[in-house]
């Protein structure tokens, strides 16, 4: 469930609709949300739903890696400016030695992008717009999946 989760009721909804994961945005919790991120992660796990914590900066990424999140995502889109830069993943992972599963999110449009991000250390890729803009979705997905 890709909604921005800030409350347990959303985790209940995720479970009810059969979602495998729900999304937490690290920057929201760095700004002291009412509920602590750890509490939401624990609640999700207790209810059988896994967690992706999304970061955009090195500091957010380090904080996300300290949680019990199942996956840490690096968003290549700056949510303040909406500017996309795949080098965000590269810059963050150059300084990381995390054992977490790391995915790169946003701005991924081609096999070359997947190869670049894989070399940077990402092991999963969230692709949306590039697939939906294509007339042959199956062929596009197959090409991206088989790029590494």
């Amino acid at each position: 469930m890709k909604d921005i989760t800030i409350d347990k009721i959303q985790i209940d909804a995720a479970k009810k609709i059969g979602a495998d994961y729900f999304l937490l945005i690290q920057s929201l919790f760095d700004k002291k949300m009412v509920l602590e991120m750890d509490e939401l992660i624990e609640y999700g796990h207790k209810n059988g739903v896994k967690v992706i914590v999304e970061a955009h900066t090195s500091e957010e990424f380090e904080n996300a890696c300290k949680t019990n999140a199942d996956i840490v995502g690096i968003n290549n889109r700056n949510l303040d400016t909406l500017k996309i830069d795949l080098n965000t993943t590269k810059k963050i992972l150059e300084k990381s030695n995390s054992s977490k599963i790391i995915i790169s999110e946003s701005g991924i449009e081609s096999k070359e992008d997947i190869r670049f991000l894989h070399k940077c250390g990402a092991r999963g890729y969230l692709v949306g717009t590039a697939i939906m803009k294509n007339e042959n979705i199956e062929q596009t997905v197959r090409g991206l999946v088989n790029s590494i």
Side-chain angles (χ1 to χ4, degrees):
M1 189 166 94
K2 198 173 177 208
D3 298 9
I4 299 169
T5 305
I6 59 169
D7 193 277
K8 290 179 182 177
I9 196 165
Q10 292 173 282
I11 299 169
D12 294 337
K15 181 176 175 65
K16 187 173 184 176
I17 64 170
D20 295 312
Y21 287 83
F22 67 93
L23 175 68
L24 297 173
I25 307 280
Q26 182 67 49
S27 64
L28 294 177
F29 293 89
D30 286 348
K31 295 175 181 171
K32 303 293 182 225
M33 292 290 294
V34 174
L35 282 177
E36 294 295 322
M37 180 180 286
D38 292 338
E39 187 179 340
L40 293 176
I41 291 171
E42 182 181 332
Y43 186 80
H45 285 159
K46 196 180 332 181
N47 286 283
V49 187
K50 295 180 182 176
V51 184
I52 298 173
V53 174
E54 181 178 284
H56 178 69
T57 67
S58 293
E59 181 182 355
E60 290 172 9
F61 179 79
E62 292 306 318
N63 289 339
C65 287
K66 292 175 188 171
T67 71
N68 287 323
D70 301 284
I71 294 175
V72 174
I74 299 171
N75 192 347
N76 297 308
R77 177 180 287 120
N78 179 326
L79 296 178
D80 292 327
T81 65
L82 300 182
K83 181 180 177 223
I84 297 172
D85 183 359
L86 294 183
N87 284 307
T88 301
T89 294
K90 180 181 180 184
K91 291 173 190 170
I92 290 173
L93 291 181
E94 283 175 340
K95 302 172 188 170
S96 171
N97 61 357
S98 177
S99 61
K100 296 270 188 191
I101 297 171
I102 308 297
I103 65 172
S104 184
E105 308 167 345
S106 297
I108 303 165
E109 298 182 4
S110 67
K111 295 177 189 180
E112 293 74 23
D113 291 343
I114 297 279
R115 289 184 192 118
F116 168 75
L117 294 166
H118 185 78
K119 285 179 186 175
C120 294
R123 293 299 172 253
Y125 316 93
L126 187 110
V127 183
T129 305
I131 293 170
M132 300 312 295
K133 286 194 301 187
N134 235 299
E135 287 185 29
N136 190 333
I137 292 173
E138 182 180 345
Q139 180 181 340
T140 302
V141 171
R142 186 169 282 124
L144 292 170
V145 167
N146 293 317
S147 62
I148 49 175

